[in-house]
Amino acid sequence: MQKKHLEKSIFKKIIDGDLPSEKVFENDQLIAIKDIAPVAPVHLLIIPKKCIESIQVMQPEDLPLLQEVVSVAQTLAKEHGVANGYRLLTNSGTDAGQTVFHLHFHLIGGKILGPMG
Ligand code: 5GP
C-alpha cells in the first residue's frame, strides 16, 4: 500500500477540525464543505466522516451512506439554488483524477455544464 493511503487525509484533518474549511452542512455521518478550487459557481464536497478510500472499496455495510449522500445533495442543491441542474460525482482512483483518497462527492452546478470527458 502506498504511503499516501496510510496518512491522515486532508479531509480527515478537516473533519477532525485540524484544518479549516467553509462548512455548509454537518451531521453524524457526513460533512459538506466548499471546494477550495471551485470549477463552477457552486462546487461543494460531500464527505462521509468514515475513512473510506474511494467508492471502489466501499463495503456492503457502508452502502447506506450513499442514501445519506443523495439526501444531503438534494437539500444542498435546493439551498444553493441549483436544484434545476447539477452534477453529483465521485472520482475513484488516479485514472479518474482522484487526488484526495478519502471518499467524497462533488456537487457541481450554477452554470451550464459541458459534456463529460
Ligand atoms: P478529487 O480530485 O479527489 O476528486 O477531488 C478533491 C477535491 O478536493 C478537489 O476538487 C480539490 O480542489 C479539493 N480540495 C483539495 N484540498 C482541499 C482543501 O484543503 N480544502 C477544500 N475545501 N478542498 C480541497
Side-chain angles (χ1 to χ4, degrees):
M1 191 180 274
Q2 293 172 2
K3 190 162 175 258
K4 70 186 174 198
H5 296 166
L6 298 174
E7 289 166 356
K8 203 169 175 182
S9 73
I10 290 170
F11 293 161
K12 179 63 176 154
K13 289 179 187 168
I14 287 173
I15 290 162
D16 290 348
D18 300 338
L19 282 178
S21 68
E22 277 193 75
K23 207 177 286 179
V24 295
F25 176 84
E26 178 164 18
N27 69 11
D28 57 332
Q29 297 182 78
L30 307 172
I31 63 165
I33 62 174
K34 293 190 179 179
D35 196 291
I36 204 169
V39 299
V42 175
H43 188 170
L44 306 176
L45 300 170
I46 302 173
I47 309 171
K49 289 183 174 177
K50 184 169 179 182
C51 292
I52 301 169
E53 192 176 295
S54 71
I55 202 166
Q56 183 60 22
V57 297
M58 281 189 90
Q59 299 299 307
E61 64 268 23
D62 294 325
L63 294 181
L65 270 176
L66 298 180
Q67 206 171 341
E68 186 67 9
V69 168
V70 170
S71 173
V72 168
Q74 290 170 339
T75 301
L76 289 174
K78 281 184 208 146
E79 286 176 3
H80 291 264
V82 297
N84 58 317
Y86 62 92
R87 281 196 185 127
L88 181 65
L89 63 92
T90 186
N91 294 319
S92 182
T94 47
D95 284 3
Q98 186 176 5
T99 57
V100 179
F101 293 87
H102 181 122
L103 180 65
H104 57 282
F105 295 81
H106 299 256
L107 193 167
I108 297 168
K111 69 173 188 181
I112 302 299
L113 299 170
M116 296 288 285

